[in-house]
Amino acid sequence: MNGPAKWLLRLLLCAMTPLAQAHIASNGFLSLRVDSARVSGALELAIRDGELAVGLDRDHDGQITWGELRDSQALLAAYLQRHLRLAGADGACSISVGALQVNERVDGNYIWLPLVAECASAPRRLTIDYRILEEADPSHRGLLTLSALGVTQSAVLGGTEAPRILQLDHPSRWTAFVEYLRAGIWHIWSGIDHLLFLLSLLLPAVLTRRQGRWEAVPMAAPALLNILKVVTAFTLAHSITLSLAAFDVIRLPARLTESVIAASIIVAALNNVFPRVTEGRWRIAFAFGLLHGFGFASVLADMGLPQGARLVSLVAFNLGVEAGQLAVVLAVMPIAYLLRATVFYRRAVMPWGSSAIAALALVWFVQRAGGG
């Protein structure tokens, strides 16, 4: 390995170190149920996010114990009351927080905080101001499931969004469509693992393999065809399994799905370093895209597909995923095409960039398979 390549690999690994620590997007899960003037539910927050919010690790040993969680309960309750506001037409609802519990998810343990909000009267619309982690992690989002009057609604909360107002007695289907569309876009943009898998397959799209070497494609047409094949195969595959999972036809354990997604990135990235499949990368995209679909389905499961509007919500979420994916392709591939003939792209970006991606995915695989 020559000097510049060593430095490039080190730079890429250093840049990706934070991603290895936060390989799955920071999401909170807020479930609410409206019964007359009472709103009950719970907030689930990753323990790592709880540490960012109030500092759970009292002895600073890098481990958060049940005792430390229990001792931090009052801090967490006060934090939630300061950063989550519910209001009806008569003003703010008074929120009380119950005893915390711990819930295990694929990306680690979550703090489960039950809550009850008492409003002055039964709200016909509910205002939700979600400010969890707004100072510590602006990328954090809250995935809302709201049940009222026999109807389930969903929303993506947080970021720069103003307080959300949800109509309870006459919810708009168009609003639901937009919410699931936004959720799909947010998931693909925050789902670094899905993007790195796609990137690993797209990097060679502007190159061709001749006599054991990567060479630049002479014209744009072959590159565009390669990109089209990969993106279409990935889209078709994950759409199939996303639909099957959303309608409860088939499901896989979340930990298995997430582990195999990490393994798929390793395979796709190492194929750039030690090419075995060069002209049929769309086959890799399709095969592993089936498993990525189950990963997308887990987000829909967390948000809760509303009864009676499953198809609309599924279509909207999938369109959001495709829109977010297309935006990334349009941003990355013109640059790759312009750089395709350079030594930097062929001898640095391709082998060492792909190696860094594979190394990062290996960390994820160990974390997910081992339950870390």
Side-chain angles (χ1 to χ4, degrees), residues 39 52 79 134 168 196 211 350 365 370:
V39 182
L52 284 176
Y79 181 87
E134 65 174 352
L168 303 184
L196 288 184
Q211 299 178 346
M350 272 292 288
F365 179 80

PDB file of all heavy atoms in Angstrom, residues 39 52 79 134 168 196 211 350 365 370:
ATOM      1  N   VAL A  39     -54.737  11.782  27.422  1.00  0.00           N
ATOM      2  CA  VAL A  39     -53.835  11.238  26.398  1.00  0.00           C
ATOM      3  C   VAL A  39     -52.811  10.374  27.127  1.00  0.00           C
ATOM      4  O   VAL A  39     -52.063  10.862  27.978  1.00  0.00           O
ATOM      5  CB  VAL A  39     -53.116  12.360  25.620  1.00  0.00           C
ATOM      6  CG1 VAL A  39     -52.232  11.748  24.530  1.00  0.00           C
ATOM      7  CG2 VAL A  39     -54.119  13.333  25.019  1.00  0.00           C
ATOM      8  N   LEU A  52     -27.044  11.219  26.057  1.00  0.00           N
ATOM      9  CA  LEU A  52     -26.846  12.547  25.478  1.00  0.00           C
ATOM     10  C   LEU A  52     -27.752  13.577  26.137  1.00  0.00           C
ATOM     11  O   LEU A  52     -27.362  14.730  26.344  1.00  0.00           O
ATOM     12  CB  LEU A  52     -27.135  12.514  23.971  1.00  0.00           C
ATOM     13  CG  LEU A  52     -26.095  11.892  23.045  1.00  0.00           C
ATOM     14  CD1 LEU A  52     -26.623  11.879  21.618  1.00  0.00           C
ATOM     15  CD2 LEU A  52     -24.779  12.651  23.106  1.00  0.00           C
ATOM     16  N   TYR A  79     -36.795  16.007  31.951  1.00  0.00           N
ATOM     17  CA  TYR A  79     -36.353  16.312  30.580  1.00  0.00           C
ATOM     18  C   TYR A  79     -37.510  16.143  29.600  1.00  0.00           C
ATOM     19  O   TYR A  79     -37.730  16.995  28.734  1.00  0.00           O
ATOM     20  CB  TYR A  79     -35.190  15.395  30.197  1.00  0.00           C
ATOM     21  CG  TYR A  79     -34.652  15.649  28.812  1.00  0.00           C
ATOM     22  CD1 TYR A  79     -33.659  16.601  28.586  1.00  0.00           C
ATOM     23  CD2 TYR A  79     -35.143  14.949  27.711  1.00  0.00           C
ATOM     24  CE1 TYR A  79     -33.180  16.850  27.310  1.00  0.00           C
ATOM     25  CE2 TYR A  79     -34.660  15.186  26.432  1.00  0.00           C
ATOM     26  CZ  TYR A  79     -33.682  16.136  26.236  1.00  0.00           C
ATOM     27  OH  TYR A  79     -33.215  16.378  24.968  1.00  0.00           O
ATOM     28  N   GLU A 134     -33.022  18.214  20.755  1.00  0.00           N
ATOM     29  CA  GLU A 134     -32.838  19.275  19.761  1.00  0.00           C
ATOM     30  C   GLU A 134     -31.486  19.966  19.918  1.00  0.00           C
ATOM     31  O   GLU A 134     -30.916  20.438  18.939  1.00  0.00           O
ATOM     32  CB  GLU A 134     -33.963  20.297  19.850  1.00  0.00           C
ATOM     33  CG  GLU A 134     -34.020  21.091  21.136  1.00  0.00           C
ATOM     34  CD  GLU A 134     -35.075  22.180  21.075  1.00  0.00           C
ATOM     35  OE1 GLU A 134     -35.635  22.405  19.989  1.00  0.00           O
ATOM     36  OE2 GLU A 134     -35.345  22.805  22.112  1.00  0.00           O
ATOM     37  N   LEU A 168     -58.066  15.238  14.913  1.00  0.00           N
ATOM     38  CA  LEU A 168     -58.456  13.934  15.439  1.00  0.00           C
ATOM     39  C   LEU A 168     -59.791  13.441  14.888  1.00  0.00           C
ATOM     40  O   LEU A 168     -59.957  12.245  14.657  1.00  0.00           O
ATOM     41  CB  LEU A 168     -58.533  13.984  16.971  1.00  0.00           C
ATOM     42  CG  LEU A 168     -57.261  14.431  17.706  1.00  0.00           C
ATOM     43  CD1 LEU A 168     -57.463  14.329  19.200  1.00  0.00           C
ATOM     44  CD2 LEU A 168     -56.057  13.606  17.266  1.00  0.00           C
ATOM     45  N   LEU A 196     -24.802   3.102   1.901  1.00  0.00           N
ATOM     46  CA  LEU A 196     -23.469   2.576   1.615  1.00  0.00           C
ATOM     47  C   LEU A 196     -23.535   1.315   0.763  1.00  0.00           C
ATOM     48  O   LEU A 196     -22.646   1.066  -0.056  1.00  0.00           O
ATOM     49  CB  LEU A 196     -22.715   2.303   2.919  1.00  0.00           C
ATOM     50  CG  LEU A 196     -22.239   3.548   3.678  1.00  0.00           C
ATOM     51  CD1 LEU A 196     -21.415   3.148   4.897  1.00  0.00           C
ATOM     52  CD2 LEU A 196     -21.423   4.478   2.782  1.00  0.00           C
ATOM     53  N   GLN A 211      -8.782  -6.742 -18.627  1.00  0.00           N
ATOM     54  CA  GLN A 211      -7.461  -7.321 -18.358  1.00  0.00           C
ATOM     55  C   GLN A 211      -7.033  -7.105 -16.899  1.00  0.00           C
ATOM     56  O   GLN A 211      -5.903  -6.726 -16.617  1.00  0.00           O
ATOM     57  CB  GLN A 211      -6.416  -6.745 -19.320  1.00  0.00           C
ATOM     58  CG  GLN A 211      -6.717  -7.047 -20.775  1.00  0.00           C
ATOM     59  CD  GLN A 211      -5.695  -6.433 -21.720  1.00  0.00           C
ATOM     60  OE1 GLN A 211      -4.903  -5.577 -21.334  1.00  0.00           O
ATOM     61  NE2 GLN A 211      -5.700  -6.902 -22.972  1.00  0.00           N
ATOM     62  N   MET A 350     -11.920   3.734  -5.450  1.00  0.00           N
ATOM     63  CA  MET A 350     -12.457   2.391  -5.637  1.00  0.00           C
ATOM     64  C   MET A 350     -11.908   1.393  -4.615  1.00  0.00           C
ATOM     65  O   MET A 350     -12.678   0.800  -3.850  1.00  0.00           O
ATOM     66  CB  MET A 350     -12.197   1.906  -7.066  1.00  0.00           C
ATOM     67  CG  MET A 350     -13.286   2.302  -8.041  1.00  0.00           C
ATOM     68  SD  MET A 350     -14.845   1.455  -7.722  1.00  0.00           S
ATOM     69  CE  MET A 350     -14.410  -0.199  -8.261  1.00  0.00           C
ATOM     70  N   PHE A 365     -21.784  -5.351  11.581  1.00  0.00           N
ATOM     71  CA  PHE A 365     -22.167  -6.763  11.613  1.00  0.00           C
ATOM     72  C   PHE A 365     -21.901  -7.363  12.993  1.00  0.00           C
ATOM     73  O   PHE A 365     -22.747  -8.068  13.556  1.00  0.00           O
ATOM     74  CB  PHE A 365     -21.405  -7.543  10.542  1.00  0.00           C
ATOM     75  CG  PHE A 365     -21.720  -9.008  10.529  1.00  0.00           C
ATOM     76  CD1 PHE A 365     -22.869  -9.476   9.913  1.00  0.00           C
ATOM     77  CD2 PHE A 365     -20.873  -9.921  11.148  1.00  0.00           C
ATOM     78  CE1 PHE A 365     -23.189 -10.839   9.917  1.00  0.00           C
ATOM     79  CE2 PHE A 365     -21.176 -11.281  11.150  1.00  0.00           C
ATOM     80  CZ  PHE A 365     -22.327 -11.730  10.535  1.00  0.00           C
ATOM     81  N   GLY A 370     -24.014  -9.606  17.510  1.00  0.00           N
ATOM     82  CA  GLY A 370     -23.731  -9.857  18.919  1.00  0.00           C
ATOM     83  C   GLY A 370     -24.651  -9.157  19.877  1.00  0.00           C
ATOM     84  O   GLY A 370     -24.523  -9.293  21.089  1.00  0.00           O
TER      85      GLY A 370
END
